[in-house]
Amino acid sequence: MRITLSSLQKMAQEGDRITMLTCYDASFAALLEEAGVDSLLVGDSLGMVLQGHESTLPVTLRDMVYHVACVARGAKRTFIIGDMPFGTFQLSPQEAFRNAADIMAAGAHMVKIEGGKPMLETIGFLTERGIPVCGHLGLTPQSVHQLGGYRVQGKGDTAAQRMLEEAKTLEQAGAGMIVLEAVPSLLAREITASIKVPTIGIGAGVDCSGQVLVLHDMLDIYPGKKAKFVKNYMRLAGSIQGAVEMYVKEVKARTYPGPEHSFSG
Ligand code: KIV
């Protein structure tokens, strides 16, 4: 039976950790599903790990539609989230709907949109029209030039309070899940406790409702610099299947991420 947004939300409410990995093709989709991953994120990180760009900014809607369709052909039970690439959702809710519809038609069950307050109207517009939306707060890679680099976000009382409020308003606007990237662990814990929808952490400590990693990072395939929160499961397990199974086990048991993969405020 297909894992749905409702089943993921129920898992979060019952304290069962959600496992998520990025995925961009059919073979990996089948392998990750077999290894017990709950949800696949067709992230625009594909711009860096597949296409070799320095950032996610050059990724197009066409790229995303192509890779979502590949993943959808390989995953029969897993919940699939497709990233909205840079420039396809910021101008107007109407344009965002048209582009999100293409990603959904390719096989996604939810789209992910980076950003806080400026995205509220768009999140409401999409969810009211049948497209589930995952929010993304903290380090939002599409804004890397505005943020001045890949840095931890939400440090200090003012920034932390702002992110907490944004998470609450994203939920009120209709977001069904929120990714928290590179956020101090205590702030991620407070956000998770303050909203009902699941939080998915990446560099956000162990207390989120679930965890996500970029597949090519945890398998040590990507040659670029690794963030502190990345754990090299390939070195530990020795095979791709073993690495993914170990990740699933550790996320469920809350032994990943450890303090060495987390940030303080
Ligand atoms: O594009 C991506 O892979 C992502 C994750 C890092 C959360 O947005």
Side-chain angles (χ1 to χ4, degrees), residues 22 24 41 43-46 56 83 112 114 136 141 179 181 202 212 214:
T22 66
Y24 319 103
L41 169 63
D44 62 357
S45 50
L46 67 85
T56 59
D83 242 340
K112 179 164 77 59
E114 291 188 11
H136 185 157
V179 166
E181 180 166 356
I202 172 164
V212 63
V214 171

